[in-house]
Amino acid sequence: MSKSLFSNDFYWGAGSSAFQVEGGWDADGKGLTVADVNAFKKSEYQADTKVASDFYHKFEADINLMADLGLKMYRFSISWARIFPDGEGKINQKGIDYYNKIIDLLIERDIEPFITLYHFDLPYHLVEKYNGWESKETVAAFAEYAKTCYENFGDRVKKWQIHNEQNLMIRVNERMNIYEDKGNVEQLRIRMDHNMFLAYAKASDLCHELVDNGQVGPSISSTVTYPATNKPQDVMSAIWNNRLKTDYCIHTHVFGAYPDYYINYLDDVGLNLEITDEDYDVMKKAKVDFIAVNYYRTITTKYLEPTDKNLKGTKIKGFNEVDYNMYGYWEIIKNENLEETEYGAQIDPVGLRIALNDYYSKYHKPLIITENGLGTADELTKENKIHDGYRIDYIQSHIRAISEAINDGVDVFGYCVWSFTDILSSHQGFKKRYGLVYINRTDFELKDLKRIPKDSYYWYKKVIETKGSSIDER
Ligand code: BG6
């Protein structure tokens, strides 16, 4: 890279989420969450949330490592159930105290705290009492929780994300507590999604009201979709795949109303948005100061004729399947032009440039990448090193893509590697590692939980020091 396109105030960051790093799952009054319950179900074959990376007890050491790295921003989530163990009702002061310590230490170390209010870990009490997002009671509880966070932390924290990846979360049944025995599950999903939009609108509006110079935005799981060929129907299927998985969600946050194509689509498949007049007013209050993009891979779609034998057994009216709309059917296929990780994600830095250009031209909002990284196994050498050149390659190519997008005229103000330390992967426990810093544990052996900076940590340190101009150096 000959010249750096990154401005002096570009946020070089890294991230995590509460249930994936904190551990201390029942410490100091924290309540049970959906993330805990789902992790405990998998405890037989992978690590769970009980200890995770033990950030709950080791946050000082970790923040020191962040400072040594030169990190400008740390994106992390608050566990709603640490602040409200039941999700609503009584505040747990020890939870407030805990996050105050983290925020203060970050600021002392010149690291901007960037908080996500809700990262997949709904308090379980709300699931038992209201079936979670099915009920408007959960929307009210979330607004109260958001208000409590702004009032307690908003004097120091100015950047806020509401839900992590609503557009992805809504399609993952276990995170939403959607099971087949719940009747019309697709109608239930639409209701939950709608309630999350209401919660977003309320919480974003409260941020502007309660936090001086507060900025707020959604975080989106990006699904850049390519058509399998230049056949017009393949192209249309790619457009629809993006619309139903990502665009409808960004649009609804940004414009405070659902897009027409989405309303017509739901009508066509017999689903109902169930919006009240009051809901319309609430949705209009949604604020978006920036869009946070979580980017890992791209998708390729191939149009299927309605009579195609591949459709046998396919559930055609499912929002979850997202393989149908009034214009046809499609399937997700492998892109032969891309390499893939051992876990099947197709590595595609150009796709990030496409995503950033696409979102900026559609929504005209500043963008930040809040998740991007490589999840794979790492090997600790006898000398206690991790030579993760493969991770450096991945991050380097994506930072380059960001610089190209900036050169295209896109307003990108930050980049957070996923993740700072190794985390509990939501699907593969501690086998699949993302961190710049290794956590010395396996799924079943806690070992000493020692923090060991990987080669990628030292490489990223130099990138930050040189404002991006050293990305090609090893
Ligand atoms: C994102 C989530 O969708 O994907 C993270 O926001 C998650 O929480 C990341 O860790 C990678 O997925 P996984 O399943 O490998 O942890």
Side-chain angles (χ1 to χ4, degrees):
M1 201 188 255
S2 49
K3 63 171 179 147
S4 175
L5 287 164
F6 297 98
S7 62
N8 287 343
D9 52 3
F10 189 80
Y11 285 106
W12 295 101
S16 71
S17 86
F19 81 94
Q20 294 179 284
V21 292
E22 284 181 357
W25 71 284
D26 61 352
D28 297 326
K30 175 182 166 290
L32 190 69
T33 70
V34 169
D36 294 322
V37 170
N38 288 327
F40 297 160
K41 285 185 197 152
K42 299 173 194 158
S43 299
E44 256 178 57
Y45 54 94
Q46 67 179 50
D48 60 29
T49 50
K50 286 189 175 150
V51 178
S53 309
D54 204 23
F55 184 76
Y56 192 73
H57 300 105
K58 297 190 167 41
F59 69 89
E60 286 178 346
D62 287 352
I63 293 175
N64 285 340
L65 277 172
M66 290 175 203
D68 290 347
L69 173 63
L71 218 61
K72 307 284 178 224
M73 171 181 272
Y74 181 49
R75 180 244 185 185
F76 63 101
S77 75
I78 289 184
S79 172
W80 179 352
R82 266 192 214 290
I83 307 289
F84 287 95
D86 287 341
E88 60 180 357
K90 203 167 168 308
I91 294 178
N92 175 30
Q93 186 57 39
K94 287 189 173 162
I96 305 264
D97 296 345
Y98 169 66
Y99 290 109
N100 267 330
K101 281 189 257 173
I102 292 174
I103 292 164
D104 286 344
L105 192 55
L106 287 168
I107 291 173
E108 193 184 308
R109 297 311 180 94
D110 284 330
I111 302 167
E112 173 112 7
F114 184 8
I115 289 182
T116 310
L117 285 172
Y118 168 49
H119 194 123
F120 302 162
D121 53 356
L122 190 69
Y124 202 66
H125 182 81
L126 297 178
V127 173
E128 292 177 313
K129 196 164 168 196
Y130 306 122
N131 196 28
W133 290 108
E134 179 169 7
S135 163
K136 288 214 166 55
E137 303 294 335
T138 298
V139 178
F142 185 75
E144 189 56 31
Y145 158 62
K147 180 167 170 277
T148 305
C149 290
Y150 301 144
E151 284 171 348
N152 282 278
F153 312 125
D155 56 333
R156 287 152 292 151
V157 179
K158 302 299 172 187
K159 290 192 169 50
W160 297 84
Q161 284 181 305
I162 308 289
H163 310 306
N164 178 64
E165 301 183 346
Q166 175 178 337
N167 64 319
L168 177 81
M169 195 185 335
I170 193 69
R171 287 183 278 116
V172 182
N173 287 356
E174 66 169 26
R175 292 197 177 129
M176 304 304 297
N177 201 43
I178 294 178
Y179 295 103
E180 289 301 325
D181 63 358
K182 295 215 184 272
N184 184 344
V185 293
E186 299 315 323
Q187 185 57 49
L188 175 58
R189 196 183 309 281
I190 296 301
R191 190 174 305 143
M192 289 179 160
D193 204 27
H194 179 59
N195 284 335
M196 287 180 74
F197 281 120
L198 296 177
Y200 177 92
K202 287 188 176 198
S204 63
D205 192 38
L206 281 167
C207 180
H208 278 197
E209 187 187 318
L210 299 171
V211 180
D212 273 350
N213 302 317
Q215 292 185 313
V216 69
S219 105
I220 291 299
S221 168
S222 168
T223 55
V224 170
T225 310
Y226 302 134
T229 69
N230 58 6
K231 187 172 159 186
Q233 288 92 335
D234 282 343
V235 176
M236 200 67 207
S237 74
I239 291 172
W240 273 97
N241 193 61
N242 274 327
R243 284 182 163 184
L244 296 183
K245 287 186 177 164
T246 307
D247 286 339
Y248 86 97
C249 188
I250 312 183
H251 179 112
T252 306
H253 288 311
V254 171
F255 300 109
Y258 291 105
D260 289 339
Y261 64 75
Y262 185 65
I263 296 170
N264 294 342
Y265 159 76
L266 290 183
D267 191 45
D268 187 65
V269 296
L271 296 170
N272 183 356
L273 274 169
E274 303 169 342
I275 311 184
T276 65
D277 287 346
E278 196 194 333
D279 291 352
Y280 280 116
D281 292 339
V282 172
M283 285 175 77
K284 274 191 226 135
K285 293 185 173 166
K287 307 279 183 310
V288 173
D289 297 306
F290 56 79
I291 296 168
V293 180
N294 293 354
Y295 178 88
Y296 291 93
R297 40 115 188 82
T298 47
I299 294 170
T300 300
T301 54
K302 179 173 178 294
Y303 174 79
L304 300 172
E305 293 295 336
T307 53
D308 196 302
K309 62 179 178 350
N310 294 331
L311 288 176
K312 225 172 158 201
T314 306
K315 195 163 106 192
I316 59 165
K317 292 217 168 186
F319 176 70
N320 192 30
E321 310 285 327
V322 197
D323 57 3
Y324 166 83
N325 68 38
M326 58 281 225
Y327 302 113
Y329 306 84
W330 62 87
E331 64 178 339
I332 309 284
I333 61 162
K334 190 170 163 180
N335 186 337
E336 299 298 339
N337 301 297
L338 300 173
E339 279 179 38
E340 59 182 30
T341 69
E342 63 177 307
Y343 289 101
Q346 301 216 284
I347 302 174
D348 185 4
V350 178
L352 176 56
R353 181 177 177 183
I354 294 171
L356 295 171
N357 272 279
D358 185 38
Y359 301 153
Y360 194 60
S361 60
K362 280 182 184 146
Y363 308 110
H364 310 290
K365 298 285 179 189
L367 299 166
I368 177 167
I369 294 89
T370 43
E371 284 186 32
N372 175 243
L374 180 68
T376 193
D378 285 322
E379 198 194 332
L380 186 63
T381 67
K382 285 194 196 101
E383 299 75 34
N384 270 349
K385 306 261 186 236
I386 292 96
H387 299 305
D388 59 342
Y390 37 89
R391 185 167 290 107
I392 297 176
D393 290 344
Y394 183 99
I395 299 173
Q396 176 209 36
S397 59
H398 287 78
I399 292 178
R400 180 184 297 287
I402 296 167
S403 78
E404 286 164 351
I406 293 173
N407 201 34
D408 295 334
V410 180
D411 180 358
V412 186
F413 66 96
Y415 172 74
C416 295
V417 175
W418 186 258
S419 47
F420 180 64
T421 62
D422 288 336
I423 50 141
L424 173 72
S425 150
S426 45
H427 293 101
Q428 282 92 7
F430 270 85
K431 278 186 286 301
K432 187 189 196 183
R433 294 173 183 269
Y434 285 91
L436 299 168
V437 176
Y438 187 84
I439 301 287
N440 194 30
R441 64 160 293 176
T442 65
D443 275 321
F444 299 110
E445 229 190 309
L446 284 180
K447 299 190 174 175
D448 56 7
L449 290 159
K450 197 171 167 209
R451 289 35 197 155
I452 304 170
K454 304 179 189 177
D455 286 358
S456 54
Y457 172 97
Y458 296 106
W459 173 84
Y460 194 45
K461 183 178 165 82
K462 182 119 195 255
V463 169
I464 297 175
E465 268 165 23
T466 60
K467 301 187 180 70
S469 52
S470 70
I471 62 166
D472 295 328
E473 290 173 23
R474 289 293 202 280

